[in-house]
Amino acid sequence: MADPFEVRMRFTSLLHHLNASTSSALKAASYALKHADYSDDLHSCILEQLERNSMNNRANIMYFLPALCDVARDKGEVSYGRMMERDILRIVDAVAPDDGSGAANVKVVRKVLRSLEGKGYLQARTVGELEEWIGGRDLVDGGPVSPARTTAAAIDPLVQSTEAAVLPTTIRSTPHSTARDPYNVNSGIRLDKRQIEQRIEEDRERHKRAREGIWAVQQVSSNLRDDAEFERCWEEDSEVDEDDLQLMKEEAEERAVALEYEEIVVKGGTAGD
């Protein structure tokens, strides 16, 4: 039997190295399922990493949750889904805190919540209440986060102790104080260029994968005779009318002429040889 401490350390390492690739998420999910006996400890690892790491890593872990629930459900393991549902409020608050540091992660939270709702892991009412709860957290200085500011989603969520003394003199009592602006040098929140570039690349990778699967049709039945894509096309296509029949007839005539011409060319080339 595996050592519990070793399992926690290994899983924590996998969470820390999550990125936009599907393989990294599946690797961590498979490891969590392999050690489902320690599901409580591994779930606590997820919460700890969400509360301790950078905004980049928190977004990656948030994207990882649906993959973990999918792998667990396929194997009949329901503990991870139940614990995720139980602690979803804490998870959302960690990924997109209300201090303004996680403004760029609000969009990530909304996207993952809708994914979890669509897959049946969360109720629509719960998702609606959570989206209402985080409303306004993507605002900086009273306005929405612009695309340029979204690229700075990798800001360090923790104010360093050496900078903490500056905050009391710069924070105003207004809802959108200067301390909430990640671009304000007096806010006490530092930008890391490397993390910003990493977030840009990861967002680009996720967007590319989303476009690759945009036309995919989920195959509900395991029976190969049930073609979900064909059935959708059949339902969406309009009924055949006289114009369609006339068009098909003309195309058939054109094809027959083209085939006849090709036969003549082939026979002429053979005779010339």
Side-chain angles (χ1 to χ4, degrees), residues 100-160:
S101 62
N105 275 353
V106 173
K107 185 176 180 180
V108 173
V109 171
R110 291 194 176 113
K111 183 176 181 180
V112 174
L113 286 176
R114 291 169 189 153
S115 175
L116 292 172
E117 177 192 352
K119 295 180 179 181
Y121 301 120
L122 292 176
Q123 297 181 2
R125 180 180 177 181
T126 301
V127 173
E129 292 176 350
L130 289 171
E131 289 185 337
E132 183 179 355
W133 181 55
I134 63 175
R137 294 193 180 189
D138 54 347
L139 302 179
V140 177
D141 281 354
V145 179
S146 64
R149 292 188 173 191
T150 303
T151 62
I155 57 176
D156 188 348
L158 301 177
V159 179
Q160 301 299 321

Side-chain angles (χ1 to χ4, degrees), residues 249-264:
K249 181 179 180 181
E250 293 175 357
E251 291 178 349
E253 292 175 352
E254 292 177 358
R255 178 174 175 77
V257 172
L259 290 174
E260 183 179 355
Y261 175 77
E262 290 181 1
E263 291 178 357
I264 294 175

Side-chain angles (χ1 to χ4, degrees), residues 17-262:
H17 290 89
L18 283 173
N19 52 46
S21 67
T22 305
S23 59
S24 67
L26 292 178
K27 183 178 181 180
S30 299
Y31 186 85
L33 190 63
K34 178 181 178 181
H35 299 282
D37 293 340
Y38 303 104
S39 58
D40 289 338
D41 287 338
L42 298 185
H43 179 72
S44 68
C45 289
I46 295 175
L47 297 179
E48 290 173 3
Q49 293 303 304
L50 283 175
E51 294 172 350
R52 295 179 180 179
N53 281 327
S54 67
M55 286 295 110
N56 260 5
N57 192 254
R58 298 184 192 196
N60 289 333
I61 294 176
M62 190 70 187
Y63 278 117
F64 161 70
L65 292 179
L68 174 60
C69 292
D70 288 342
V71 172
R73 183 166 63 179
D74 290 342
K75 299 297 182 179
E77 179 63 47
V78 297
S79 58
Y80 289 108
R82 289 176 178 174
M83 288 186 290
M84 179 276 300
E85 183 179 9
R86 181 194 65 197
D87 295 326
I88 190 61
L89 185 66
R90 182 178 174 184
I91 292 171
V92 169
D93 194 42
V95 178
D98 61 355
D99 60 359
S101 62
N105 275 353
V106 173
K107 185 176 180 180
V108 173
V109 171
R110 291 194 176 113
K111 183 176 181 180
V112 174
L113 286 176
R114 291 169 189 153
S115 175
L116 292 172
E117 177 192 352
K119 295 180 179 181
Y121 301 120
L122 292 176
Q123 297 181 2
R125 180 180 177 181
T126 301
V127 173
E129 292 176 350
L130 289 171
E131 289 185 337
E132 183 179 355
W133 181 55
I134 63 175
R137 294 193 180 189
D138 54 347
L139 302 179
V140 177
D141 281 354
V145 179
S146 64
R149 292 188 173 191
T150 303
T151 62
I155 57 176
D156 188 348
L158 301 177
V159 179
Q160 301 299 321
S161 58
T162 57
E163 300 169 330
V166 181
L167 291 179
T169 61
T170 59
I171 298 179
R172 300 193 301 269
S173 60
T174 54
H176 304 287
S177 64
T178 55
R180 296 190 58 164
D181 189 351
Y183 282 77
N184 192 316
V185 294
N186 295 324
S187 66
I189 300 176
R190 300 179 304 135
L191 293 177
D192 187 328
K193 182 179 178 181
R194 182 187 62 81
Q195 288 186 341
I196 293 174
E197 293 175 348
Q198 178 185 357
R199 179 61 175 267
I200 293 173
E201 291 298 325
E202 289 178 349
D203 286 346
R204 183 181 292 117
E205 178 66 21
R206 290 192 181 95
H207 181 66
K208 182 177 70 175
R209 291 211 322 268
R211 293 185 63 185
E212 289 175 351
I214 195 171
W215 301 110
V217 180
Q218 184 177 3
Q219 185 70 25
V220 180
S221 174
S222 59
N223 189 351
L224 297 179
R225 295 181 179 273
D226 298 332
D227 192 334
E229 185 174 0
F230 173 80
E231 293 297 334
R232 191 182 73 170
C233 292
W234 180 265
E235 294 176 359
E236 293 178 352
D237 287 342
S238 59
E239 296 182 0
V240 178
D241 53 20
E242 294 182 0
D243 292 337
D244 294 324
L245 294 174
Q246 181 63 30
L247 180 62
M248 286 187 286
K249 181 179 180 181
E250 293 175 357
E251 291 178 349
E253 292 175 352
E254 292 177 358
R255 178 174 175 77
V257 172
L259 290 174
E260 183 179 355
Y261 175 77
E262 290 181 1

